[in-house]
Amino acid sequence: MNAGAALGWWGVPLAVFAGAIRVSTPFLFVSLGEVITEKSGRINLGLEGTLVMGAMAGYAIAYLTLSPWLGVLAAGLAGLALGLLHGGICALPRVNDTAVGIALMLFGTGLAFYLGKPFIAPKAPGLPAIDLGFWSASPQVRAALQINVLFFIGLACAPLLGWGLRHTGIGLTLRMVGESADAARAMGRSPVRVRLLATGFGGCMAGIGGCFLSLGYPGSWNEGLSSGQGITAVALVIFARWRPMACLGASLLFGGAGALGPALQSVGVSGFYHLFNAAPYILTLAILILASRPDRMLGGAPGELSITK
Amino acid sequence: MEPALEVVGMSKRFGGFAALDAVSLRVAAGGVHALIGENGAGKSTLVKCIMGYYRADAGAVLLAGREVEIRNPREAHRAGIGMVYQHFTLVPAMSVLENLALARGLPRGRIDWRGERARLAGFLATMPFAVPLERPVAALSAGERQKAEILKQLYLDARILILDEPTSVLTPQEADEILTLLRAMARAGQITVMMITHKFREVLAFADTVSVLRRGRLVGGGAVASLDADAMAALMIGEQSVAASAARGTDARGTVRLVLDDLTATDAAGAPALRGVSLSVHGGEIVGIAGVSGNGQSTLVEVLAGQRRARGGRMTVQGEAFHASRREVMRHRIALLPEEPLRNACVAAMSVAENMAFRVFDRPPMARGPLLRRGQIRAAAERLIARYNVRTSSPMAPIGTLSGGNVQRAVLARELGGAVDLLIAANPVFGLDFVAVADIHAQILAARNRGAAVLLVSEDLDELLELADRILVMSEGRITFETTAAEADRRLIGRHMAGHH
């Protein structure tokens, strides 16, 4: 808070930048995972539950083993399990993926709260951050450039996934299944299997995104940890038109918008604190309204996606 | 010579229904074999059994005299049998290159696009026709898409090519071109072709041998040279009586009923679909709109039906501005037979009687104030069912349980049950059998003879040549050609359908 005070108004962009990176990391992981799931033609709305479950599992394992990286692994596995559960249920005939997603959102959150009760008080070791501000004498700049490792992993994942969708057989198969299950079946590919794996991957990424909340920032486990990042990230995927690199941009944009309120507060503008805190949601609505066309379907949507069919 | 493909005693039952009953046929190597029959005769079931989509209850497939077991489409591919489906199986959002590479199987790890491109270019050089490799399939014309589908099968080393109504989405020229190429390849001994079709013209012009299926049984066939269209039609329909084609009344063109002036509209994806359509339809005439599917006809019908708003231009019915509101439709006595009636004109889960009452349920005698009189609705439906020969177990059965022909008849009954001044019909007999087609054509002609103005949109040129008084060709959202039916020239119309003028 006093960081901004020393730098004056320059503290605002600095705090927004630092906040963008911190807040965007869970968005980034969840949306990248969901891009893969949705590219296969299925939507998983349960990622909010997966995110919370990942946060709890990661924190608990990091606390018990004293290793944050084992925590990340546990979070990924917990997410994978929930993702496979969603994919498995949706593989049954005449099951609606939207309804299953909402059920799993409640299930994941509830399960995490139940299992996470004993871990609310203790302190688990956090994930390391990389100090990119070593060159600066200003403690504010140094603090802002303390960037968590998970962010860099997410940063690397975005172009990697974008490239993989175009240049690998797996990526091509995934897109084919998402665009036309009939075409995939005619080629002897099993859409059900591809979607199961894609949903599992999406869950795994969401779990890792969740453990950033508990092991990175804010860096503790409690029941109010997530404020809907999981479900917002699903909307981000649509906003990003199912492109991994655009997910990166969208996550940073939303992260920055989310950091606006605290940043302004740090320089003493606290009058509209709650209004600025609502910035990401106002931004969501504004973007959706601006991007919508009354007589057009969503461009770039996978052909098999239930919400855009 | 040993037949390339032989089917022996193939049977397949779905529940109590025998879709295939001991069908046997042989296709000579390097030959073109046509499989004909009405909808539901078992043609698709037969080829799906050959391809391993369905497991036949009995029977065997022999390739070059040797029995092979085909349990799924992959095994069929491995055995050298490729199939081109009625609907396209290429992924529209992907390029031809990506589609063909995928067809070869899932490459491990990174894809070497340069090598893939070179390999495909080499393959294309050996083929009699080419398609642009880098273009997304969605941007190809229907003819190019069909070629790409065929290339895909040949790229997979298919020696036996099965085609399910390969020309149903093509212009006559495109169809002739592709069938000529396939026949040339067969003559050269490169492939053996078996194609499902319902167009006698194609059988007579391109096939060497033919098999006719009716209700799951092989009822005839042989060398095409020994049969003519009448003989094949007789085999296909059997003993059923077909309504004699309705006599065209004397030409009594009345006043102008429908005028479209520079109408523009976009399709569901937001792309321009109508780019300034102007036309007029008079009482007592049928105006046919010809065109390859996807050139704006569906959008035109959607705009006329009120399912989609026009972006610009004017619609006028009997001299008054028209916005496709329910009140205007009622006042001008407009009837509408959209394509896919179950989707565009019915609520599948509601009963036949309710669906038939959609136009008039809220006025006497069916309504008393805000209350519906179900007895009246049912009685009216029973009258229509009897008059229009709708086969349903009861007026209260959900309309979604009816066969396609009977759904079409039910909608026809609703729309033509009262007096009609303007009838708009889109592909009204698509997918129906001979009897239903003759029936519905007779009803449309009867409406015209009674003085109604009829706008008939159809992808089937033969249907338009038979029914229409004037034919307009629609291409890329514009009316590009007009002719009277009497002077219509199939080749000239086809050229305009293809966009060459």
Side-chain angles (χ1 to χ4, degrees):
Chain A
M1 296 298 122
N2 53 5
L7 280 174
W9 280 95
W10 282 111
V12 175
L14 189 67
V16 167
F17 169 77
I21 285 176
R22 270 201 307 264
V23 180
S24 69
T25 307
F27 284 141
L28 184 57
F29 275 91
V30 181
S31 60
L32 286 179
E34 180 69 0
V35 163
I36 299 303
T37 305
E38 290 190 20
K39 275 281 182 191
S40 81
R42 183 163 286 159
I43 189 161
N44 182 359
L45 289 182
L47 290 182
E48 177 67 22
T50 314
L51 178 96
V52 176
M53 192 65 201
M56 191 287 296
Y59 197 74
I61 295 302
Y63 169 69
L64 294 174
T65 64
L66 297 178
S67 161
W69 291 109
L70 283 179
V72 173
L73 183 70
L77 289 177
L80 178 71
L82 281 177
L84 290 176
L85 184 62
H86 182 280
I89 296 174
C90 291
L92 302 172
R94 288 145 67 92
V95 170
N96 178 292
D97 53 358
T98 307
V100 173
I102 291 170
L104 281 187
M105 169 158 69
L106 300 172
F107 172 73
T109 321
L111 189 67
F113 289 175
Y114 172 72
L115 296 175
K117 274 273 185 286
F119 302 101
I120 290 181
K123 180 80 192 115
L127 284 164
I130 294 174
D131 183 15
L132 290 181
F134 56 87
W135 46 270
S136 169
S138 157
Q140 296 84 29
V141 173
R142 295 189 70 133
L145 292 182
Q146 285 274 337
I147 296 174
N148 197 291
V149 209
L150 268 191
F151 175 75
F152 290 104
I153 296 177
L155 195 64
C157 278
L160 200 67
L161 288 177
W163 179 85
L165 281 175
R166 270 174 289 122
H167 291 275
T168 66
I170 299 172
L172 229 50
T173 307
L174 188 77
R175 281 162 58 205
M176 177 169 71
V177 167
E179 291 291 345
S180 164
D182 273 340
R185 250 179 247 119
M187 296 311 313
R189 302 263 172 274
S190 158
V192 167
R193 200 167 131 250
V194 171
R195 285 180 187 155
L196 181 72
L197 296 176
T199 318
F201 178 81
C204 179
M205 290 290 278
I208 294 174
C211 82
F212 176 85
L213 291 175
S214 58
L215 297 174
Y217 177 85
S220 66
W221 159 248
N222 63 68
E223 294 181 357
L225 191 59
S226 163
S227 49
Q229 279 98 327
I231 203 74
T232 312
V234 177
L236 279 188
V237 172
I238 298 171
F239 171 49
R241 294 277 186 271
W242 297 270
R243 291 176 306 218
M245 282 309 279
C247 279
L248 175 63
S251 298
L252 286 172
L253 185 67
F254 272 66
L260 194 61
L264 284 172
Q265 196 189 32
S266 72
V267 294
V269 181
S270 53
F272 300 99
Y273 179 69
H274 291 292
L275 191 61
F276 283 117
N277 272 352
Y281 313 107
I282 296 170
L283 193 68
T284 314
L285 289 175
I287 286 169
L288 286 179
I289 292 166
L290 291 177
S292 73
R293 294 277 179 281
D295 52 359
R296 185 185 307 181
M297 287 188 297
L298 232 39
E304 292 278 327
L305 209 58
S306 59
I307 49 162
T308 53
K309 246 183 183 173
Chain B
M1 196 163 69
E2 196 92 300
L5 171 70
E6 192 172 358
V7 174
V8 183
M10 187 83 83
S11 296
K12 174 74 188 169
R13 301 183 74 84
F14 293 107
F17 171 67
L20 276 185
D21 188 2
V23 172
S24 301
L25 55 85
R26 339 171 90 200
V27 185
V32 176
H33 186 88
L35 191 58
I36 61 174
E38 291 202 71
N39 287 289
K43 297 165 301 192
S44 291
T45 310
L46 176 63
V47 295
K48 280 181 174 163
C49 284
I50 297 175
M51 289 300 293
Y53 264 95
Y54 297 148
R55 185 137 227 195
D57 299 329
V61 175
L62 279 70
L63 294 179
R66 187 169 304 162
E67 185 171 343
V68 287
E69 194 186 0
I70 296 169
R71 281 166 302 193
N72 56 50
R74 253 186 180 168
E75 292 190 351
H77 291 153
R78 228 169 282 145
I81 311 177
M83 178 153 171
V84 174
Y85 299 86
Q86 201 170 355
H87 54 269
F88 294 124
T89 60
L90 295 172
V91 181
M94 293 183 172
S95 70
V96 176
L97 177 67
E98 285 177 322
N99 268 292
L100 290 181
L102 257 179
R104 263 287 166 97
L106 175 66
R108 299 235 168 258
R110 199 175 86 85
I111 299 172
D112 172 18
W113 281 123
R114 194 174 300 167
E116 205 67 60
R117 203 170 283 132
R119 189 141 32 106
L120 258 169
F123 162 76
L124 284 181
T126 67
M127 288 290 124
F129 50 103
V131 285
L133 278 182
E134 305 293 338
R135 205 143 356 122
V137 170
L140 298 181
S141 73
E144 283 175 318
R145 253 192 236 199
Q146 192 63 278
K147 284 184 197 168
E149 295 276 352
I150 292 169
L151 282 176
K152 180 173 100 176
Q153 294 307 326
L154 298 176
Y155 189 51
L156 291 173
D157 295 323
R159 306 271 305 148
I160 297 173
L161 207 54
I162 301 178
L163 303 109
D164 189 356
E165 299 202 14
T167 61
S168 57
V169 291
L170 306 182
T171 66
Q173 274 88 353
E174 284 174 328
D176 286 356
E177 185 196 351
I178 283 179
L179 292 177
T180 305
L181 289 167
L182 284 176
R183 194 177 51 174
M185 290 182 75
R187 289 270 184 281
Q190 291 168 289
I191 51 170
T192 300
V193 177
M194 174 150 117
M195 66 170 185
I196 296 179
T197 181
H198 60 262
K199 296 179 183 165
F200 294 141
R201 198 175 65 81
E202 292 176 355
V203 177
L204 295 170
F206 297 101
D208 305 312
T209 51
V210 60
S211 295
V212 186
L213 292 184
R214 186 170 76 232
R215 293 186 189 164
R217 293 227 180 108
L218 185 73
V219 291
V224 169
S226 67
L227 290 161
D228 61 8
D230 287 340
M232 286 190 276
L235 285 171
M236 273 168 75
I237 58 175
E239 306 302 312
Q240 300 174 75
S241 63
V242 175
S245 59
R248 179 178 296 272
T250 47
D251 285 357
R253 201 158 107 150
T255 54
V256 59
R257 292 269 167 77
L258 171 70
V259 178
L260 304 183
D261 183 18
D262 200 24
L263 199 66
T264 56
T266 54
D267 64 12
L274 298 183
R275 303 164 192 258
V277 171
S278 301
L279 58 85
S280 61
V281 187
H282 295 252
E285 75 165 346
I286 298 178
V287 173
I289 306 256
V292 180
S293 145
N295 275 284
Q297 304 98 311
S298 320
T299 307
L300 175 65
V301 176
E302 282 172 6
V303 170
L304 286 168
Q307 288 172 303
R308 180 170 295 282
R309 264 198 211 165
R311 273 295 176 81
R314 266 202 311 278
M315 298 189 281
T316 315
V317 174
Q318 295 181 342
E320 292 175 34
F322 178 68
H323 310 91
S325 74
R326 184 177 159 86
R327 184 177 301 167
E328 288 168 337
V329 167
M330 195 70 74
R331 188 169 66 233
H332 297 302
R333 301 198 290 193
I334 299 172
L336 188 73
L337 296 175
E339 55 190 352
E340 293 184 66
L342 196 57
R343 195 168 69 86
N344 284 315
C346 295
V347 179
M350 289 171 76
S351 71
V352 175
E354 285 166 331
N355 273 282
M356 282 180 161
F358 279 174
R359 291 276 186 213
V360 288
F361 68 91
D362 54 351
R363 61 192 56 214
M366 292 194 184
R368 186 186 287 138
L371 300 179
L372 295 183
R373 300 169 70 188
R374 301 195 64 84
Q376 289 285 342
I377 290 178
R378 186 176 173 143
E382 275 165 356
R383 283 194 298 276
L384 287 176
I385 286 169
R387 198 167 124 207
Y388 284 85
N389 214 351
V390 182
R391 258 171 265 165
T392 171
S393 56
S394 134
M396 304 324 277
I399 199 163
T401 60
L402 270 56
S403 74
N406 283 307
V407 171
Q408 189 66 278
R409 280 202 196 95
V411 173
L412 195 76
R414 172 178 87 202
E415 300 293 320
L416 298 183
V420 173
D421 288 339
L422 172 60
L423 168 64
I424 296 158
N427 295 314
V429 299
F430 185 80
L432 303 187
D433 59 37
F434 268 119
V435 180
V437 169
D439 218 22
I440 286 166
H441 281 174
Q443 299 282 0
I444 292 175
L445 263 182
R448 167 209 181 262
N449 293 344
R450 283 195 300 268
V454 180
L455 183 68
L456 174 63
V457 177
S458 176
E459 282 157 31
D460 183 353
L461 192 50
D462 294 320
E463 178 176 36
L464 295 176
L465 290 169
E466 182 188 335
L467 294 180
D469 297 289
R470 273 192 298 145
I471 295 175
L472 312 180
V473 176
M474 198 160 169
S475 171
E476 290 174 5
R478 290 191 186 86
I479 302 293
T480 55
F481 183 67
E482 175 175 350
T483 174
T484 61
E487 296 162 358
D489 171 358
R490 173 185 284 276
R491 293 200 62 81
L492 198 57
I493 293 176
R495 261 214 304 284
H496 283 89
M497 283 166 69
H500 310 302
H501 11 267

